[in-house]
Amino acid sequence: MFRSSYRVGEWIIASLAIVLAVPALAQAQSTKPTVVTSPAARVTPSSATLIGKVTPHGAQTTYLFQYGTTTLYGQGTAPTVAGNGTASVPAVADLAGLAPATVYHYRLVARNRNGAVNGADRVFKTKSEPLGLTLAGTPNPVPFGRPTVLGGTLTGTGNANRQILLQATPFPFTQPFQPAANVQLTNAQGQFAFPLLSVPLNTQFRVVIPSRPEVASPLVTLGVAVRVATNTSATRVRTGRVVRFFGTVRPARPGARFAIQRSRRGIWRTVSGGVTHGSGGGVSRYTKRVKIRRGGRYRVFVEIADGSYVSTAGRTVRIRRLF
C-alpha cells in the first residue's frame, strides 16, 4: 500500500514538472518574427495600399510599414498587432496624402520580445494627376467698354510653365471658337490670367492647352452689361410735380424697353417706362416725365431681351418730396 502511494506521488510530481516546463519551453523556442514585403496595391495619384506578411513565431508581435521618397523612409504607419501565433498573418496599411508621379520606398518592419526585423525594400510610383483647367471672369458681368480679367488654374502633374490659349465665340455663340489673346504660360502654381481691355458683347470663353487641345476648361459666359447714364430735372419736388428722367444707353440699343423704378422696402417697383431711341454716336437715348407722389430712391432699368447684352440699371437717384 505504501509503495503504491509513493509511485502515485512520483507521477503527480513528474506531471507538475512537465506542466510548469511547457511555458518556459515555449518561451525558449519563440524567435524573432519573419516578414515579407509584398508589392503595393491600389496605387492612385495620392494614395496606395501597402501589403505584406508577418509570422510572429510564438511571441506577441506588432508591425508597421516605413515609407518615404528615399531608403531613409522618414514616415511610418501606426503599429498594428499581429498576435503570437506561429502562422503567417497578412499585414496591410493604407497611405494617403501622397504626391502624384512620385517614387516611394517602403518596407515592412515587425517586432516582438526577441527583437525587430526589417523587411526588404520595395518601391512604387504614384500615378500622374490628370490635367484640368478652371476659368472665371472678374468682374462678370463687366460694364460695356470696361476692362475685365479671365483667369484660372491648370491643375495636375506638370502644371507649371505650360502654354495656355484663350478662345472665344461671341453671341449668339454659333461661331467656332477662335483665339482671343496671345498664348500665356502658367506660373509655378499653374495659375494664369488674360487681361481684356473690353468685350464688345456677351461672349463665351474657354482655355485649352495648345499641345493637348482635348484638355479644355468648362465654358464661361462673360456678360457685358449695357451702361445706363441717368439724369433728372430735379431732386427736390413738391408732391404731384413732374420730374423728367433722361439719359443714354451704351452701346446703342434703340427700341430697348426701360423702366423708371422706385425702391420700396428693398424691392424695386416700376412706376413708369418706355423705349429707347437711337441718336447716333453709338448711343441710344431715353426720356420720361414722371409725376412724383412719394420721395425716395429711384433708378432707370434697361432690359435687353435678345440676350446679346446683360440688362442693367443706372445709378440710384434720391428724390426728396417737399410738402
Side-chain angles (χ1 to χ4, degrees), residues 115-147:
V117 175
N118 297 328
D121 177 79
R122 280 185 174 270
V123 298
F124 67 89
K125 184 177 181 179
T126 51
K127 295 183 179 180
S128 297
E129 183 179 358
L131 293 173
L133 282 162
T134 64
L135 184 66
T138 305
N140 187 10
V142 58
F144 174 77
R146 299 292 173 81

PDB file of all heavy atoms in Angstrom, residues 115-147:
ATOM      1  N   GLY A 115      13.143  40.684 -30.588  1.00  0.00           N
ATOM      2  CA  GLY A 115      13.835  41.649 -31.422  1.00  0.00           C
ATOM      3  C   GLY A 115      12.992  42.113 -32.590  1.00  0.00           C
ATOM      4  O   GLY A 115      11.841  41.710 -32.773  1.00  0.00           O
ATOM      5  N   ALA A 116      13.585  43.011 -33.416  1.00  0.00           N
ATOM      6  CA  ALA A 116      12.908  43.584 -34.570  1.00  0.00           C
ATOM      7  C   ALA A 116      13.533  43.073 -35.859  1.00  0.00           C
ATOM      8  O   ALA A 116      14.726  42.761 -35.908  1.00  0.00           O
ATOM      9  CB  ALA A 116      12.979  45.104 -34.528  1.00  0.00           C
ATOM     10  N   VAL A 117      12.711  43.002 -36.894  1.00  0.00           N
ATOM     11  CA  VAL A 117      13.167  42.526 -38.197  1.00  0.00           C
ATOM     12  C   VAL A 117      12.672  43.507 -39.259  1.00  0.00           C
ATOM     13  O   VAL A 117      11.493  43.875 -39.273  1.00  0.00           O
ATOM     14  CB  VAL A 117      12.634  41.109 -38.497  1.00  0.00           C
ATOM     15  CG1 VAL A 117      13.023  40.680 -39.916  1.00  0.00           C
ATOM     16  CG2 VAL A 117      13.171  40.113 -37.482  1.00  0.00           C
ATOM     17  N   ASN A 118      13.572  43.932 -40.151  1.00  0.00           N
ATOM     18  CA  ASN A 118      13.232  44.810 -41.264  1.00  0.00           C
ATOM     19  C   ASN A 118      13.036  43.979 -42.525  1.00  0.00           C
ATOM     20  O   ASN A 118      13.905  43.175 -42.890  1.00  0.00           O
ATOM     21  CB  ASN A 118      14.324  45.842 -41.509  1.00  0.00           C
ATOM     22  CG  ASN A 118      14.509  46.774 -40.325  1.00  0.00           C
ATOM     23  OD1 ASN A 118      13.553  47.076 -39.608  1.00  0.00           O
ATOM     24  ND2 ASN A 118      15.726  47.234 -40.105  1.00  0.00           N
ATOM     25  N   GLY A 119      11.920  44.203 -43.209  1.00  0.00           N
ATOM     26  CA  GLY A 119      11.682  43.509 -44.465  1.00  0.00           C
ATOM     27  C   GLY A 119      12.468  44.134 -45.606  1.00  0.00           C
ATOM     28  O   GLY A 119      13.128  45.166 -45.456  1.00  0.00           O
ATOM     29  N   ALA A 120      12.387  43.524 -46.746  1.00  0.00           N
ATOM     30  CA  ALA A 120      13.100  44.019 -47.918  1.00  0.00           C
ATOM     31  C   ALA A 120      12.488  45.335 -48.402  1.00  0.00           C
ATOM     32  O   ALA A 120      11.292  45.578 -48.252  1.00  0.00           O
ATOM     33  CB  ALA A 120      13.032  42.982 -49.042  1.00  0.00           C
ATOM     34  N   ASP A 121      13.330  46.201 -48.979  1.00  0.00           N
ATOM     35  CA  ASP A 121      12.870  47.470 -49.538  1.00  0.00           C
ATOM     36  C   ASP A 121      12.166  47.233 -50.876  1.00  0.00           C
ATOM     37  O   ASP A 121      12.637  46.458 -51.716  1.00  0.00           O
ATOM     38  CB  ASP A 121      14.057  48.411 -49.749  1.00  0.00           C
ATOM     39  CG  ASP A 121      13.634  49.717 -50.388  1.00  0.00           C
ATOM     40  OD1 ASP A 121      13.111  50.578 -49.663  1.00  0.00           O
ATOM     41  OD2 ASP A 121      13.820  49.868 -51.614  1.00  0.00           O
ATOM     42  N   ARG A 122      11.015  47.897 -51.040  1.00  0.00           N
ATOM     43  CA  ARG A 122      10.314  47.874 -52.315  1.00  0.00           C
ATOM     44  C   ARG A 122       9.959  49.308 -52.705  1.00  0.00           C
ATOM     45  O   ARG A 122      10.026  50.228 -51.869  1.00  0.00           O
ATOM     46  CB  ARG A 122       9.033  47.033 -52.235  1.00  0.00           C
ATOM     47  CG  ARG A 122       9.263  45.527 -52.347  1.00  0.00           C
ATOM     48  CD  ARG A 122       7.933  44.794 -52.381  1.00  0.00           C
ATOM     49  NE  ARG A 122       8.071  43.376 -52.620  1.00  0.00           N
ATOM     50  CZ  ARG A 122       8.075  42.799 -53.820  1.00  0.00           C
ATOM     51  NH1 ARG A 122       7.947  43.555 -54.909  1.00  0.00           N
ATOM     52  NH2 ARG A 122       8.176  41.496 -53.946  1.00  0.00           N
ATOM     53  N   VAL A 123       9.553  49.492 -53.966  1.00  0.00           N
ATOM     54  CA  VAL A 123       9.169  50.818 -54.431  1.00  0.00           C
ATOM     55  C   VAL A 123       7.856  50.741 -55.203  1.00  0.00           C
ATOM     56  O   VAL A 123       7.489  49.696 -55.743  1.00  0.00           O
ATOM     57  CB  VAL A 123      10.255  51.451 -55.335  1.00  0.00           C
ATOM     58  CG1 VAL A 123      11.550  51.650 -54.569  1.00  0.00           C
ATOM     59  CG2 VAL A 123      10.482  50.618 -56.580  1.00  0.00           C
ATOM     60  N   PHE A 124       7.156  51.869 -55.215  1.00  0.00           N
ATOM     61  CA  PHE A 124       6.013  52.053 -56.110  1.00  0.00           C
ATOM     62  C   PHE A 124       6.026  53.513 -56.544  1.00  0.00           C
ATOM     63  O   PHE A 124       6.615  54.376 -55.873  1.00  0.00           O
ATOM     64  CB  PHE A 124       4.684  51.701 -55.432  1.00  0.00           C
ATOM     65  CG  PHE A 124       4.288  52.634 -54.316  1.00  0.00           C
ATOM     66  CD1 PHE A 124       3.543  53.778 -54.566  1.00  0.00           C
ATOM     67  CD2 PHE A 124       4.641  52.352 -52.996  1.00  0.00           C
ATOM     68  CE1 PHE A 124       3.171  54.637 -53.542  1.00  0.00           C
ATOM     69  CE2 PHE A 124       4.274  53.206 -51.966  1.00  0.00           C
ATOM     70  CZ  PHE A 124       3.541  54.348 -52.243  1.00  0.00           C
ATOM     71  N   LYS A 125       5.393  53.798 -57.663  1.00  0.00           N
ATOM     72  CA  LYS A 125       5.293  55.168 -58.159  1.00  0.00           C
ATOM     73  C   LYS A 125       3.828  55.554 -58.256  1.00  0.00           C
ATOM     74  O   LYS A 125       3.028  54.850 -58.890  1.00  0.00           O
ATOM     75  CB  LYS A 125       5.954  55.307 -59.539  1.00  0.00           C
ATOM     76  CG  LYS A 125       5.963  56.733 -60.063  1.00  0.00           C
ATOM     77  CD  LYS A 125       6.701  56.838 -61.399  1.00  0.00           C
ATOM     78  CE  LYS A 125       6.727  58.280 -61.898  1.00  0.00           C
ATOM     79  NZ  LYS A 125       7.449  58.414 -63.187  1.00  0.00           N
ATOM     80  N   THR A 126       3.466  56.664 -57.603  1.00  0.00           N
ATOM     81  CA  THR A 126       2.090  57.142 -57.688  1.00  0.00           C
ATOM     82  C   THR A 126       1.775  57.578 -59.118  1.00  0.00           C
ATOM     83  O   THR A 126       2.661  57.988 -59.871  1.00  0.00           O
ATOM     84  CB  THR A 126       1.864  58.318 -56.738  1.00  0.00           C
ATOM     85  OG1 THR A 126       2.880  59.302 -56.947  1.00  0.00           O
ATOM     86  CG2 THR A 126       1.898  57.867 -55.285  1.00  0.00           C
ATOM     87  N   LYS A 127       0.521  57.489 -59.471  1.00  0.00           N
ATOM     88  CA  LYS A 127       0.112  57.844 -60.822  1.00  0.00           C
ATOM     89  C   LYS A 127       0.115  59.355 -61.008  1.00  0.00           C
ATOM     90  O   LYS A 127       0.007  60.115 -60.047  1.00  0.00           O
ATOM     91  CB  LYS A 127      -1.280  57.278 -61.112  1.00  0.00           C
ATOM     92  CG  LYS A 127      -1.326  55.761 -61.121  1.00  0.00           C
ATOM     93  CD  LYS A 127      -2.713  55.258 -61.474  1.00  0.00           C
ATOM     94  CE  LYS A 127      -2.746  53.730 -61.516  1.00  0.00           C
ATOM     95  NZ  LYS A 127      -4.092  53.214 -61.866  1.00  0.00           N
ATOM     96  N   SER A 128       0.237  59.784 -62.246  1.00  0.00           N
ATOM     97  CA  SER A 128       0.163  61.207 -62.562  1.00  0.00           C
ATOM     98  C   SER A 128      -1.263  61.706 -62.363  1.00  0.00           C
ATOM     99  O   SER A 128      -2.224  61.004 -62.674  1.00  0.00           O
ATOM    100  CB  SER A 128       0.597  61.466 -64.005  1.00  0.00           C
ATOM    101  OG  SER A 128       1.956  61.100 -64.194  1.00  0.00           O
ATOM    102  N   GLU A 129      -1.378  62.924 -61.835  1.00  0.00           N
ATOM    103  CA  GLU A 129      -2.704  63.532 -61.685  1.00  0.00           C
ATOM    104  C   GLU A 129      -3.119  64.124 -63.025  1.00  0.00           C
ATOM    105  O   GLU A 129      -2.375  64.909 -63.618  1.00  0.00           O
ATOM    106  CB  GLU A 129      -2.662  64.627 -60.629  1.00  0.00           C
ATOM    107  CG  GLU A 129      -4.016  65.258 -60.355  1.00  0.00           C
ATOM    108  CD  GLU A 129      -3.943  66.331 -59.281  1.00  0.00           C
ATOM    109  OE1 GLU A 129      -2.846  66.550 -58.735  1.00  0.00           O
ATOM    110  OE2 GLU A 129      -4.980  66.950 -59.015  1.00  0.00           O
ATOM    111  N   PRO A 130      -4.279  63.777 -63.552  1.00  0.00           N
ATOM    112  CA  PRO A 130      -4.708  64.306 -64.853  1.00  0.00           C
ATOM    113  C   PRO A 130      -4.760  65.832 -64.845  1.00  0.00           C
ATOM    114  O   PRO A 130      -5.096  66.454 -63.832  1.00  0.00           O
ATOM    115  CB  PRO A 130      -6.100  63.705 -65.043  1.00  0.00           C
ATOM    116  CG  PRO A 130      -6.132  62.503 -64.142  1.00  0.00           C
ATOM    117  CD  PRO A 130      -5.267  62.858 -62.975  1.00  0.00           C
ATOM    118  N   LEU A 131      -4.445  66.439 -65.985  1.00  0.00           N
ATOM    119  CA  LEU A 131      -4.511  67.887 -66.113  1.00  0.00           C
ATOM    120  C   LEU A 131      -5.963  68.343 -66.191  1.00  0.00           C
ATOM    121  O   LEU A 131      -6.805  67.684 -66.802  1.00  0.00           O
ATOM    122  CB  LEU A 131      -3.754  68.344 -67.362  1.00  0.00           C
ATOM    123  CG  LEU A 131      -2.239  68.138 -67.348  1.00  0.00           C
ATOM    124  CD1 LEU A 131      -1.645  68.469 -68.706  1.00  0.00           C
ATOM    125  CD2 LEU A 131      -1.586  68.971 -66.261  1.00  0.00           C
ATOM    126  N   GLY A 132      -6.246  69.459 -65.543  1.00  0.00           N
ATOM    127  CA  GLY A 132      -7.584  70.041 -65.578  1.00  0.00           C
ATOM    128  C   GLY A 132      -7.500  71.557 -65.544  1.00  0.00           C
ATOM    129  O   GLY A 132      -6.564  72.126 -64.976  1.00  0.00           O
ATOM    130  N   LEU A 133      -8.464  72.238 -66.143  1.00  0.00           N
ATOM    131  CA  LEU A 133      -8.450  73.690 -66.254  1.00  0.00           C
ATOM    132  C   LEU A 133      -9.704  74.302 -65.636  1.00  0.00           C
ATOM    133  O   LEU A 133     -10.808  73.775 -65.792  1.00  0.00           O
ATOM    134  CB  LEU A 133      -8.375  74.113 -67.724  1.00  0.00           C
ATOM    135  CG  LEU A 133      -6.989  74.015 -68.386  1.00  0.00           C
ATOM    136  CD1 LEU A 133      -7.116  74.025 -69.897  1.00  0.00           C
ATOM    137  CD2 LEU A 133      -6.108  75.161 -67.920  1.00  0.00           C
ATOM    138  N   THR A 134      -9.512  75.408 -64.919  1.00  0.00           N
ATOM    139  CA  THR A 134     -10.624  76.217 -64.434  1.00  0.00           C
ATOM    140  C   THR A 134     -10.522  77.604 -65.060  1.00  0.00           C
ATOM    141  O   THR A 134      -9.440  78.031 -65.479  1.00  0.00           O
ATOM    142  CB  THR A 134     -10.605  76.344 -62.903  1.00  0.00           C
ATOM    143  OG1 THR A 134      -9.408  77.044 -62.502  1.00  0.00           O
ATOM    144  CG2 THR A 134     -10.632  74.977 -62.243  1.00  0.00           C
ATOM    145  N   LEU A 135     -11.643  78.310 -65.126  1.00  0.00           N
ATOM    146  CA  LEU A 135     -11.664  79.646 -65.721  1.00  0.00           C
ATOM    147  C   LEU A 135     -12.794  80.454 -65.105  1.00  0.00           C
ATOM    148  O   LEU A 135     -13.886  79.928 -64.866  1.00  0.00           O
ATOM    149  CB  LEU A 135     -11.846  79.549 -67.240  1.00  0.00           C
ATOM    150  CG  LEU A 135     -11.804  80.860 -68.029  1.00  0.00           C
ATOM    151  CD1 LEU A 135     -10.416  81.475 -67.968  1.00  0.00           C
ATOM    152  CD2 LEU A 135     -12.220  80.641 -69.477  1.00  0.00           C
ATOM    153  N   ALA A 136     -12.533  81.735 -64.851  1.00  0.00           N
ATOM    154  CA  ALA A 136     -13.561  82.631 -64.321  1.00  0.00           C
ATOM    155  C   ALA A 136     -13.243  84.051 -64.768  1.00  0.00           C
ATOM    156  O   ALA A 136     -12.076  84.398 -64.998  1.00  0.00           O
ATOM    157  CB  ALA A 136     -13.631  82.563 -62.798  1.00  0.00           C
ATOM    158  N   GLY A 137     -14.283  84.875 -64.874  1.00  0.00           N
ATOM    159  CA  GLY A 137     -14.123  86.274 -65.246  1.00  0.00           C
ATOM    160  C   GLY A 137     -14.322  87.190 -64.058  1.00  0.00           C
ATOM    161  O   GLY A 137     -15.223  86.975 -63.246  1.00  0.00           O
ATOM    162  N   THR A 138     -13.469  88.231 -63.934  1.00  0.00           N
ATOM    163  CA  THR A 138     -13.579  89.183 -62.832  1.00  0.00           C
ATOM    164  C   THR A 138     -13.384  90.595 -63.375  1.00  0.00           C
ATOM    165  O   THR A 138     -12.299  90.919 -63.859  1.00  0.00           O
ATOM    166  CB  THR A 138     -12.514  88.908 -61.752  1.00  0.00           C
ATOM    167  OG1 THR A 138     -12.618  87.554 -61.325  1.00  0.00           O
ATOM    168  CG2 THR A 138     -12.712  89.835 -60.566  1.00  0.00           C
ATOM    169  N   PRO A 139     -14.416  91.455 -63.376  1.00  0.00           N
ATOM    170  CA  PRO A 139     -15.790  91.172 -62.940  1.00  0.00           C
ATOM    171  C   PRO A 139     -16.584  90.468 -64.033  1.00  0.00           C
ATOM    172  O   PRO A 139     -16.193  90.483 -65.193  1.00  0.00           O
ATOM    173  CB  PRO A 139     -16.364  92.556 -62.676  1.00  0.00           C
ATOM    174  CG  PRO A 139     -15.654  93.422 -63.677  1.00  0.00           C
ATOM    175  CD  PRO A 139     -14.257  92.878 -63.764  1.00  0.00           C
ATOM    176  N   ASN A 140     -17.688  89.879 -63.629  1.00  0.00           N
ATOM    177  CA  ASN A 140     -18.612  89.246 -64.552  1.00  0.00           C
ATOM    178  C   ASN A 140     -20.023  89.368 -63.965  1.00  0.00           C
ATOM    179  O   ASN A 140     -20.292  88.779 -62.919  1.00  0.00           O
ATOM    180  CB  ASN A 140     -18.263  87.783 -64.756  1.00  0.00           C
ATOM    181  CG  ASN A 140     -19.089  87.115 -65.837  1.00  0.00           C
ATOM    182  OD1 ASN A 140     -19.805  87.778 -66.579  1.00  0.00           O
ATOM    183  ND2 ASN A 140     -19.014  85.803 -65.916  1.00  0.00           N
ATOM    184  N   PRO A 141     -20.918  90.154 -64.601  1.00  0.00           N
ATOM    185  CA  PRO A 141     -20.745  90.840 -65.884  1.00  0.00           C
ATOM    186  C   PRO A 141     -19.843  92.061 -65.760  1.00  0.00           C
ATOM    187  O   PRO A 141     -19.625  92.588 -64.668  1.00  0.00           O
ATOM    188  CB  PRO A 141     -22.167  91.233 -66.263  1.00  0.00           C
ATOM    189  CG  PRO A 141     -22.864  91.370 -64.957  1.00  0.00           C
ATOM    190  CD  PRO A 141     -22.281  90.325 -64.062  1.00  0.00           C
ATOM    191  N   VAL A 142     -19.358  92.519 -66.914  1.00  0.00           N
ATOM    192  CA  VAL A 142     -18.497  93.689 -66.982  1.00  0.00           C
ATOM    193  C   VAL A 142     -19.253  94.795 -67.700  1.00  0.00           C
ATOM    194  O   VAL A 142     -19.947  94.534 -68.697  1.00  0.00           O
ATOM    195  CB  VAL A 142     -17.181  93.342 -67.718  1.00  0.00           C
ATOM    196  CG1 VAL A 142     -17.432  92.809 -69.120  1.00  0.00           C
ATOM    197  CG2 VAL A 142     -16.263  94.557 -67.761  1.00  0.00           C
ATOM    198  N   PRO A 143     -19.192  96.044 -67.229  1.00  0.00           N
ATOM    199  CA  PRO A 143     -19.856  97.127 -67.956  1.00  0.00           C
ATOM    200  C   PRO A 143     -19.262  97.300 -69.356  1.00  0.00           C
ATOM    201  O   PRO A 143     -18.051  97.134 -69.556  1.00  0.00           O
ATOM    202  CB  PRO A 143     -19.568  98.358 -67.077  1.00  0.00           C
ATOM    203  CG  PRO A 143     -19.301  97.803 -65.710  1.00  0.00           C
ATOM    204  CD  PRO A 143     -18.617  96.499 -65.948  1.00  0.00           C
ATOM    205  N   PHE A 144     -20.093  97.636 -70.299  1.00  0.00           N
ATOM    206  CA  PHE A 144     -19.654  97.788 -71.688  1.00  0.00           C
ATOM    207  C   PHE A 144     -18.491  98.783 -71.769  1.00  0.00           C
ATOM    208  O   PHE A 144     -18.535  99.872 -71.199  1.00  0.00           O
ATOM    209  CB  PHE A 144     -20.811  98.280 -72.548  1.00  0.00           C
ATOM    210  CG  PHE A 144     -20.422  98.589 -73.959  1.00  0.00           C
ATOM    211  CD1 PHE A 144     -20.229  97.569 -74.878  1.00  0.00           C
ATOM    212  CD2 PHE A 144     -20.232  99.909 -74.377  1.00  0.00           C
ATOM    213  CE1 PHE A 144     -19.860  97.856 -76.190  1.00  0.00           C
ATOM    214  CE2 PHE A 144     -19.864 100.201 -75.680  1.00  0.00           C
ATOM    215  CZ  PHE A 144     -19.667  99.173 -76.588  1.00  0.00           C
ATOM    216  N   GLY A 145     -17.423  98.362 -72.489  1.00  0.00           N
ATOM    217  CA  GLY A 145     -16.268  99.234 -72.683  1.00  0.00           C
ATOM    218  C   GLY A 145     -15.273  99.226 -71.549  1.00  0.00           C
ATOM    219  O   GLY A 145     -14.230  99.887 -71.643  1.00  0.00           O
ATOM    220  N   ARG A 146     -15.546  98.480 -70.470  1.00  0.00           N
ATOM    221  CA  ARG A 146     -14.639  98.448 -69.322  1.00  0.00           C
ATOM    222  C   ARG A 146     -13.792  97.170 -69.360  1.00  0.00           C
ATOM    223  O   ARG A 146     -14.188  96.163 -69.961  1.00  0.00           O
ATOM    224  CB  ARG A 146     -15.429  98.515 -68.019  1.00  0.00           C
ATOM    225  CG  ARG A 146     -16.255  99.779 -67.878  1.00  0.00           C
ATOM    226  CD  ARG A 146     -15.378 101.010 -67.714  1.00  0.00           C
ATOM    227  NE  ARG A 146     -16.140 102.253 -67.731  1.00  0.00           N
ATOM    228  CZ  ARG A 146     -16.795 102.749 -66.686  1.00  0.00           C
ATOM    229  NH1 ARG A 146     -16.809 102.089 -65.534  1.00  0.00           N
ATOM    230  NH2 ARG A 146     -17.440 103.897 -66.783  1.00  0.00           N
ATOM    231  N   PRO A 147     -12.620  97.192 -68.689  1.00  0.00           N
ATOM    232  CA  PRO A 147     -11.737  96.012 -68.714  1.00  0.00           C
ATOM    233  C   PRO A 147     -12.208  94.902 -67.782  1.00  0.00           C
ATOM    234  O   PRO A 147     -12.942  95.142 -66.819  1.00  0.00           O
ATOM    235  CB  PRO A 147     -10.393  96.583 -68.246  1.00  0.00           C
ATOM    236  CG  PRO A 147     -10.755  97.746 -67.384  1.00  0.00           C
ATOM    237  CD  PRO A 147     -11.996  98.341 -67.996  1.00  0.00           C
TER     238      PRO A 147
END
